[in-house]
Amino acid sequence: NSKLRHVEKDVLIPQIMRERAKELCSDKVQAFTKCCQETGLLMVVKCRQENTALKDCLVGYYSDPLFYEECKTEYLKQREEYRATGIKKKRQQLTSNV
């Protein structure tokens, strides 16, 4: 059964999208994080370029219907495994401060 509940469409699948997009944009995440660490309180002004590049990368993935379908398929596979085994699979997290 691949029918999605409201919480799956609006919360759980977007959560997978955010995690995967952060992984795929990891070079921009690292550049922004490094800039913020080096700049301190002036990061709002000095890291504007890195922040824009990161946002553009993330939004590009968030607005891609094919990327949504990939993440939906991944979610449905996880849901099917959970229903079959009762064991929730944890996604591997990046060791990033973002």
Side-chain angles (χ1 to χ4, degrees), residues 4 12-13 15-21 23-24 66-82 89-93:
L4 294 171
L12 300 175
I13 293 171
Q15 182 178 356
I16 290 174
M17 290 177 74
R18 280 190 302 275
E19 290 171 8
R20 287 199 54 212
E23 291 169 11
L24 294 166
L66 290 174
F67 185 67
Y68 175 84
E69 288 302 318
E70 282 177 31
C71 293
K72 177 177 145 186
T73 300
E74 182 180 333
Y75 171 76
L76 290 172
K77 190 172 138 193
Q78 289 175 8
R79 184 178 78 173
E80 188 179 321
E81 286 176 21
Y82 174 73
K89 181 182 172 206
K90 289 191 177 187
R91 280 187 53 81
Q92 190 175 22
Q93 295 293 321

Side-chain angles (χ1 to χ4, degrees), residues 4-15 68 75:
L4 294 171
R5 297 174 317 195
H6 167 72
V7 71
E8 292 172 316
K9 277 191 271 191
D10 296 344
V11 178
L12 300 175
I13 293 171
Q15 182 178 356
Y68 175 84
Y75 171 76

Side-chain angles (χ1 to χ4, degrees), residues 3 5 21-22 25-26 33-34 51 63 93-94 97:
K3 188 158 172 57
R5 297 174 317 195
K22 270 199 254 184
C25 298
S26 66
T33 302
K34 184 177 181 216
N51 188 27
S63 58
Q93 295 293 321
L94 281 178
N97 295 3

Side-chain angles (χ1 to χ4, degrees), residues 18-57:
R18 280 190 302 275
E19 290 171 8
R20 287 199 54 212
K22 270 199 254 184
E23 291 169 11
L24 294 166
C25 298
S26 66
D27 57 333
K28 289 161 186 66
V29 170
Q30 289 171 355
F32 179 66
T33 302
K34 184 177 181 216
C35 180
C36 291
Q37 289 170 342
E38 292 173 354
T39 312
L41 294 174
L42 296 174
M43 69 183 175
V44 174
V45 176
K46 299 226 176 196
C47 300
R48 199 173 288 153
Q49 186 176 346
E50 290 83 354
N51 188 27
T52 300
L54 175 56
K55 277 189 201 171
D56 290 348
C57 184

